[in-house]
Amino acid sequence: MSHAIEVQNLTKIYPGSGEGFLAVDKINFTVDRGEIFGFLGPNGAGKSTTQRMLTTLLTPTEGQILVLGHDLAQNSYPAKRQIGLVPEESNVYTELTAWDNLMFTGRIYLMSKADRTARAEELLKDFGLWENKDVKAENFSKGMKRRLSIAMAIIHKPALLFLDEPTPGLDVQSTRAIQTLIRQLSAEGTTVFMTTHQIEEANQLCDRVAIINYGKIAAIDTPEKLKQTFQQVQSVEIAFTSSPEGLKEKLTTLPEVSTVLKIGDKWRLYTDSPPDLLPLLMRFSEKEKLDIVSLNTLAPSLEDVFLQITGQQVGSVSEGPSQQKADRRRKKGKQS
């Protein structure tokens, strides 16, 4: 299968005091044509820097990028003609109507008036925006602006679409609508490269995911295969009719339990061996006179895998690299 993206030894060092900052460190990966590829990582891991290099917005320090068979360092124009980009921050012109936004974008891609008119009508109808085509985008909801932004990115029918954080802050209905659009684009043959913090969204949408951490690719595979690799983050989830004071501490002392988290009205107990933990929980509930509402064993989630790979405690919130670890990426350009 031919590749939509091929990356070899891609490196980016930002200039700075003395040694500079190594943001991306000799990464290698490929993206197959037609797949939805997720690019995950904590804040500051190198996600945005990588995507900016892939979309010609940033020049690599070294390494090679082939996009749709074109070497970006030699001649990026043929690749750029076949790329669509939906940035994290809206690129919709709010003073223009939905229709005028699409007409303007179509002209940028040198589409004929007939082609951009037909394509704009098709997209606005497909995206549920046709009735608002003459409304200025400043009056749109965030979800409507996001759909319009995607329509602008694909008006020229790109072979490769880059999505940067496609759904954060959107309501459930808008999120599902955009996820459906992404699946439809993939089914029609468009390659989708999606940078996201929404790990469960990547799990639902992506054929493969890559996890970047401190500038290096830490893992790359299908979501299910990554989960199978990390069986040590299996868990048992239990809910009691009540949660008396000190319950978490008592659950933590149970054999086979490595970590205890409170998830809503449930307790999630991470363990290497759920079968051994289940009878212990039954005896625990009897001893503590606690009635069990529900009890389930859970396989590793992609979020668990992500936290494990990035060296964070299960249940923690990513705040980006610590200064100590970030300093390790400050190297002299000649060392890279």
Side-chain angles (χ1 to χ4, degrees):
M1 180 182 293
S2 58
H3 299 305
I5 301 173
E6 297 180 56
V7 169
Q8 296 180 3
N9 295 321
L10 186 61
T11 302
K12 181 61 182 180
I13 301 174
Y14 287 107
S17 56
E19 301 173 344
F21 180 73
L22 181 61
V24 175
D25 188 4
K26 296 185 183 299
I27 64 173
N28 298 273
F29 65 88
T30 61
V31 177
D32 293 332
R33 291 180 184 262
E35 78 172 332
I36 303 177
F37 187 87
F39 203 57
L40 314 179
N43 294 330
K47 297 189 307 298
S48 295
T49 295
T50 299
Q51 178 164 287
R52 291 182 68 194
M53 289 189 285
L54 295 178
T55 54
T56 74
L57 298 177
L58 195 63
T59 302
T61 303
E62 63 179 82
Q64 184 182 49
I65 304 172
L66 297 178
V67 172
L68 302 169
H70 303 286
D71 189 331
L72 296 190
Q74 301 299 322
N75 185 11
S76 64
Y77 184 72
K80 290 164 73 172
R81 288 292 305 274
Q82 300 179 73
I83 289 175
L85 171 62
V86 182
E88 181 176 5
E89 298 297 327
S90 176
N91 61 339
V92 171
Y93 296 97
T94 56
E95 69 275 15
L96 299 180
T97 65
W99 181 263
D100 288 340
N101 266 285
L102 289 174
M103 290 297 100
F104 176 72
T105 307
R107 285 195 294 270
I108 291 175
Y109 286 107
L110 305 179
M111 297 175 67
S112 69
K113 183 176 181 179
D115 285 346
R116 65 177 182 264
T117 298
R119 181 66 170 159
E121 180 175 348
E122 174 190 359
L123 290 172
L124 289 171
K125 288 180 177 178
D126 288 347
F127 286 21
L129 297 171
W130 179 248
E131 293 182 357
N132 296 287
K133 69 183 180 68
D134 296 320
V135 176
K136 288 187 176 181
E138 63 188 5
N139 298 308
F140 282 10
S141 67
K142 188 172 182 179
M144 293 170 69
K145 288 179 182 175
R146 202 60 174 163
R147 280 181 278 156
L148 178 57
S149 183
I150 295 175
M152 292 165 62
I154 64 173
I155 190 169
H156 60 304
K157 297 184 178 180
L160 174 58
L161 178 64
F162 288 91
L163 287 170
D164 192 358
E165 300 292 345
T167 63
L170 300 183
D171 57 62
V172 173
Q173 185 177 7
S174 296
T175 295
R176 288 185 177 177
I178 289 174
Q179 290 174 349
T180 298
L181 291 173
I182 294 170
R183 292 189 181 99
Q184 288 175 347
L185 289 168
S186 177
E188 293 167 2
T190 302
T191 304
V192 179
F193 185 98
M194 185 172 74
T195 304
T196 181
H197 284 97
Q198 309 296 317
I199 299 173
E200 184 53 33
E201 181 171 71
N203 182 47
Q204 294 176 10
L205 288 175
C206 295
D207 298 298
R208 289 189 302 142
V209 297
I211 299 176
I212 186 171
N213 196 34
Y214 303 116
K216 291 182 175 291
I217 299 294
I220 182 168
D221 213 325
T222 67
E224 292 305 313
K225 286 182 179 178
L226 286 174
K227 294 175 195 177
Q228 292 172 9
T229 303
F230 288 85
Q231 288 300 315
Q232 69 268 30
V233 288
Q234 299 172 94
S235 59
V236 173
E237 197 168 76
I238 189 168
F240 301 105
T241 52
S242 62
S243 295
E245 186 176 349
L247 180 56
K248 180 177 181 178
E249 289 72 19
K250 291 179 180 179
L251 290 170
T252 303
T253 62
L254 290 174
E256 309 294 341
V257 173
S258 59
T259 305
V260 176
L261 296 177
K262 193 173 191 300
I263 310 292
D265 64 339
K266 295 171 282 293
W267 295 94
R268 186 171 298 174
L269 285 65
Y270 286 87
T271 177
D272 291 338
S273 180
D276 292 333
L277 180 57
L278 291 175
L280 296 176
L281 281 172
M282 299 302 294
R283 290 196 290 271
F284 174 84
S285 64
E286 292 175 2
K287 178 184 176 182
E288 299 294 327
K289 296 181 172 52
L290 294 170
D291 292 328
I292 297 175
V293 177
S294 64
L295 180 63
N296 299 289
T297 59
L298 303 176
S301 68
L302 189 59
E303 181 177 0
D304 294 330
V305 172
F306 175 85
L307 293 174
Q308 190 86 357
I309 287 174
T310 56
Q312 302 172 64
Q313 183 179 358
V314 172
S316 66
V317 178
S318 173
E319 298 291 348
S322 66
Q323 186 61 46
Q324 179 182 6
K325 290 186 176 180
D327 285 344
R328 296 175 188 168
R329 293 164 63 191
R330 296 186 181 278
K331 302 177 180 179
K332 294 180 180 179
K334 64 182 181 180
Q335 292 178 323
S336 299

